[in-house]
Amino acid sequence: MDPARARRSSWLNDQRVRGLVYQTLLIAGIAALAGSAIYNAVINMRARGIPMGFGFWNDVAGFDINLHLINYSNLSTYGRAFWVGLLNTVLIGVICIPLATLLGFVIGVARLSPNWLLSRFALVYTSLMRNTPLLLLLLFWYNAVLKSLPGPRQSISVGGVVFLNNRGLYLPMPVARESIVWFVGAVLTAVALAIGFRAWARRRQDRTGAQSPSALVAVALIGGLPALVIATSGAPFVFDIAQLSGFNLKGGLQIVPEMAALVFGLVTFTAAFIAEIVRAGVLALPFGQSEAAGALGLHRGLSMRLVVIPQAMRLITPPLTSQYLNIVKNSSLAVFIGYPDLVQIFAGTVLNQTQAAVQVMAITMAVYLVVSLTVALALNTFNTRYALKGQ
Amino acid sequence: MSTSLADADRGDDAAIRFVGVHKWYGSFHVLRNINLTVARGERIVVCGPSGSGKSTLIRCVNRLEVHQRGSIVVDNVELTDDIKRIDEVRREVGMVFQNFNLFPHLTILENCTLAPVWVRKMPRRQADEMASELLERVRILNQAHKYPGQLSGGQQQRAAIARALCMTPKIMLFDEPTSSLDPEMVKEVLDTMTALAQEGMTMIVVTHEMGFARQVADRVVFMDGGEIVELNAPLPFFQHPQHERTKLFLNQILHVRY
Amino acid sequence: MDSLAYVREASEPEEAPPMLSRGLLAWARTNLFSSIGSTLITLGCIALVGYSLPQLVAWAMTHAIWSASDGAACRQHQDGACWAFVIAKWDYLRFGSYPVAERWRVDVVEAIGAALIVWLLWINAPQRGWGAFLFFVVYPILALILLRGSSWLGLPIVDTQLWGGIFVSLLTAVVGIVFSLPLGVLLALGRRSTLPAVRLASVMFIEFVRGVPFITILFMANNLLPLFVPERWTPDRLLRPLAGIIMFSAAYMAEEVRGGLQSLGRGQYEAAMALGLKYAPMTALVILPQALTLVIPGIVNNFIGLFMDTTLISVVGATDFLEAMNNAIKDPVWAGPTIMVTGYVFAGIFYFVFCFGMARYSAHIERVLAKGRK
C-alpha cells in the first residue's frame, strides 16, 4: 500500500481522534438543539408579550397566602412570595424528616421482631404504603378525613386543650414567661453535665475497667435539673389554649388542614420506605458477626451496640439520605391540596400571573437542584471517610 | 494431655460432658444420642462427611445451637435456657469460625480488646498489652492497627484466634478453621493451633486436616449421620479403623485402601 | 459408653422430635410467646384485629350498597361503602370521555399490549427478540393510529383531551417505559463512556432530572415545550406530560441499567475484546443482553413506580384514573357522605392490587434469575 495512504487511514483509525470526533459531533448536536430552542423561545415570547427578564421579581403579587413564616400581605412582591414558599417547604422538611425517621425505625425494628404477629403487622403496613400513590394518600387525608371534620362550633376536643375541626388542628401554644431563662439554663447545664459525666466515665473505664451507668445519669440530670427549676420558680411557659369566639377558634397554635394532611401523608408514606431500609441494612449484615460477638461473651445488648448497629448504620445511611431528599421533593405535591409550598406559590400562582415560565421554572428547579447536589456531595464525603477500609 | 482410660472417666475433671444429647432441625434428626466426655487439656479432632452434624456438635457447646434432649455440662456448668449460665460458659469457651467473622469496622487490636474491656471489665491499657502479647504470639503484631479487610486470609484467621484467646478461655473450639483458606496459608494457621495445643489448651477441632489430627490429637472422633461412629487415639484410628463407615470415609479422604 | 476407644455396633434409630419441639405448638412458642413482652404484643395484636376486622368487613361487605341507580340508597345507609357508585361509573373510570362507539379501539390496543408484555417478560419464551421489536417499534405506531384515529383508515379522530381514566394511566406508564428504556440504555452507556464530553452530558442529564421533583418536570414540559418549538408545531396537550414522563423515567432507568452493567464484571468485556469484537458489536451482542436480563426486576419496579407517578399528570390537565375518580365523585346525582371514601378506597385497592401483583412478579423473576446464575 502507498505509505502516505496508510498513514492517512491510520490517523482516522486512531482511537483518540475518533473519540474527539464523536465528542465534537455530540457537542455540536446539543448546541444546535439548544440554539434552535432558544431562538424559537425568544420569538414566541416576544409574540405573546411574555416578559423576558427578571423584572417581575419586584412587582406586586396581589394574592394572599394563608401560611407565612415571614411578613407577607397581598401588597408584597413576587420575590417575597418566593421566600414565603421556600420557607414553607423548609418547614415541611424540618418537621417531616425527624418524624418519618422515628416512625420508620420503629416499624423497621418491628419488621425484624421475632414475634410473628408484630412482624406481619409491620409488613402489612409497609406493603400498603409502598403500593399506594402518595397523591391518593394525601387526597384521602385532606378530603375524606380532615375536610369532613365538624365545624369549629362542634370541634372534637382532647382533654379540653387540643381541638380538631375542619379549620385545622389547634394545639396549646407555649408562651414564654421570665422564668424561661432559668429553665433553658437548667436544660443546657444538664446536657453539659451529662456529656461531661460520660467523658469522665469513659476515661475511668479505660483506666480501671469499671463501668458506670452514663445513660441513667444523663436521664436523671436532664429530667431532674429542669424539674427542680420548675419547682422553685414556677412554670417556664403558660399555654395559650384556643377559645371559641364567634364562629371560629381564636388563639392556640393552629395547624391548617393542608399542612396537617401533607405532614401526615408524607410521614406515614416515607416511614414505610425507611422501615424497609432499616430492615435491609440489618439483614445485610452477615449472621456470623452477631455469632462471633455472642461467642466472645457479649450479651445481646452489647452485641447490638458495639458490633451490629455501627455496621448497619453504614449500610443504612446512603439510602436513608435519599429518602430525606424524596421528602423534600414529594412536598411539591402540596400543589394538589393547596398547601403554599415553593412549587404551589411560585411555579403555580406566580407563573400563571406573570407568564414568565422560563424564569420561574429555572429558579424553582435551581433551588431543588442545589439541595439535591449539596446532599449528594455530603454523602460522597461521608462514604469515603467512613467506608470500611480494605473493601 | 492425659490419654489413660481412668483419667478420662473422672467426673469433675471433665471439661465438657455430653450425655444422651439429641438435636432436631424441624423433623431432621441431626444429633443422635451423643455421649462424649472431653477431659481438661485433651485435644479432640472431629471429622466426618458434610452434613454429619460435627459443626452442630461443637456449636452446641457455646449454645450457638440449642440441643433438645440430653445434657451438656461445660466446665461444671450445665447448659440450659438460663441466660446467666450461657454467658458464663461463653466467657470460658473461645470459638474460631470458618469464615473468621472478624469485625470489619474495628482494627485488629480493637477486635481483640473489645470483649475483655466490655465483658471482663479490664482497664484499656491492660487489655491493649495483653492483646499485643497474643498478637505477637500468633505473629501478626505488625498488623495490629490495620483493618481486617487489609489482611490476607491466613492473617485474618490468626487474628481471630488471638481475639478468642484474649478472653483467656479454658476451652477452644475450632469450626473448620482452614477450610476457607488458600493452601499456602493453611500451614501458618495449623502451626498456630499446634503451638496452642502444646501449651495444654483443651481443644475440639472440626477439620479435614488429617495430618494435624495425627500430630496433635489425643483422640479422633468420626461422626456420620448425626451419630458418633468411632472414636480412638489417632494411631489406631488411622491404621486400624474398625467400622465400615470409618473405612469408607478414610478411603475417600486419604486415598488409601483399607 | 465413653472410653478411650469406641467402635459403634448398632446404629441409633431415627426418632421424631419431642412434642414441644415440633408442630404448631413449638412454632407458637418461639414466634408468639417466647417472652413476656412477646406475649403481651401477641395479645395486643389479636385484640386489635378482633376489634377492627369485623368493622371493616361490615363497612365493605355486609352493610355496603351493591346496586342502585343513584345516590339515594347510599345516603340512607351511611355505614357501608357505596359500591353501586363505582359500578355505575366504571366505564367512565376506564375510558374517560372517549366516545362510546370507539371504545373498542382502546380495548384492542390494551389487549395487544398485554399480550406483548407477557411475551417479553416470560423468561423462556421463544423469539423474544421479535417480541422486543414488535413491542418497541411496531406497537407504539399501531397504538397511536388506533387511539388517535386516522382519516385514511376511516377511524374518526378522537381528541386527546377526551382520553381519560385507567386507559390513560396505563398508556402513560407503558409509553414511559417503552421510550425511556432505549434512552436509559444510551444514557447508562454514556455515563460509563471514557469520552469526557459524553460522560459529562449523561451525568448532567441524569442528575438534573433526579434532583428535581417530578411535578416541576411536568410543569416544565407543559409550559416550556410550546415555547421551544415554532408555533405551528405546538405539541399536543397529552404529549407534553408524556415527554416529561419519558425524560423522568429515562434517568431512573439509566441508573438501573448502569447497575446491571457494573455487576457484569470485567471478565465479559475482556473475553469479548480478546475475540476482537469492537465496541458496538460487543455491547449489542454480549454486554447488553446479559445486563438487561439482570435488570428486568429493576425495570418492573420502575414500571410500578411510574404507574403510581402517573397520578401527577392531572396537574397539567390530563385525566388519569385518580383524576377521573375525583371527577366522578363530584357528580351531584351520587352526592353523599360515603361516596368520597368509597371512591378513594376503591382507587387504593386498584392501585394496590396492580402494583403489589407486579412487585410479586418482579420478585419471582429475581429468584428465577438468581437460580440460573448459580
Side-chain angles (χ1 to χ4, degrees), chain C residues 226-283:
Chain C
L227 288 178
F228 288 158
V229 295
E231 181 125 14
R232 60 182 183 282
W233 286 356
T234 302
D236 179 270
R237 296 219 52 175
L238 188 60
L239 194 63
R240 295 179 224 171
L242 276 178
I245 286 187
I246 293 171
M247 264 181 77
F248 189 69
S249 174
Y252 286 86
M253 199 68 84
E255 288 300 280
E256 288 282 340
V257 174
R258 189 164 77 102
L261 290 172
Q262 262 169 327
S263 70
L264 219 46
R266 282 210 58 79
Q268 294 293 306
Y269 289 90
E270 289 176 348
M273 287 191 282
L275 286 171
L277 284 173
K278 300 232 208 68
Y279 183 78
M282 167 177 80
T283 309

Side-chain angles (χ1 to χ4, degrees), chain A residues 233-308:
Chain A
S233 54
F237 323 100
V238 208
F239 285 103
D240 177 20
I241 299 178
Q243 307 261 356
L244 188 58
S245 140
F247 282 100
N248 217 337
L249 284 176
K250 281 220 177 319
L253 180 63
Q254 180 192 13
I255 300 180
V256 295
E258 289 80 19
M259 180 162 165
L262 192 60
V263 168
F264 213 84
L266 273 177
V267 168
T268 48
F269 182 74
T270 316
F273 292 86
I274 293 181
E276 279 303 300
I277 290 172
V278 168
R279 176 171 170 260
V282 171
L283 288 181
L285 216 55
F287 189 55
Q289 289 293 300
S290 44
E291 283 197 330
L296 283 170
L298 293 164
H299 62 78
R300 190 172 155 88
L302 273 182
S303 159
M304 276 279 135
R305 206 174 110 207
L306 297 172
V307 175
V308 174

Side-chain angles (χ1 to χ4, degrees), chain B residues 99-120:
Chain B
N99 294 318
F100 331 137
N101 287 337
L102 288 172
F103 306 131
H105 60 305
L106 302 173
T107 61
I108 300 296
L109 192 71
E110 285 165 355
N111 262 274
C112 293
T113 57
L114 183 73
V117 165
W118 288 95
V119 179
R120 292 211 190 276

Side-chain angles (χ1 to χ4, degrees), chain A residues 127-141 265 269 273 330 333, chain C residues 169 304-312 320-322 344 346-355:
Chain A
S127 298
L128 224 77
M129 288 295 157
R130 288 169 72 193
N131 288 303
T132 311
L134 177 57
L135 182 57
L136 179 58
L137 286 174
L138 288 180
L139 288 177
F140 181 80
W141 286 117
F269 182 74
F273 292 86
N330 282 337
L333 265 71
Chain C
S169 293
I304 298 171
L306 202 60
F307 188 66
M308 291 199 281
D309 284 335
T310 59
T311 51
L312 268 59
D320 74 305
F321 173 56
L322 194 53
Y344 285 149
F346 179 76
I349 294 176
F350 176 81
Y351 278 107
F352 181 79
V353 166
F354 189 87
C355 297

Side-chain angles (χ1 to χ4, degrees), chain B residues 27-39:
Chain B
S27 57
F28 175 50
H29 199 173
V30 62
L31 288 178
R32 306 187 189 192
N33 201 11
I34 303 291
N35 291 283
L36 180 67
T37 304
V38 179

Side-chain angles (χ1 to χ4, degrees), chain C residues 65 68 70-78 81-85 334 338-339:
Chain C
I65 311 288
D70 62 23
C74 294
R75 279 190 288 272
Q76 274 181 341
H77 303 274
Q78 290 184 13
C82 189
W83 299 126
F85 159 72
W334 286 92
T338 54
I339 297 299

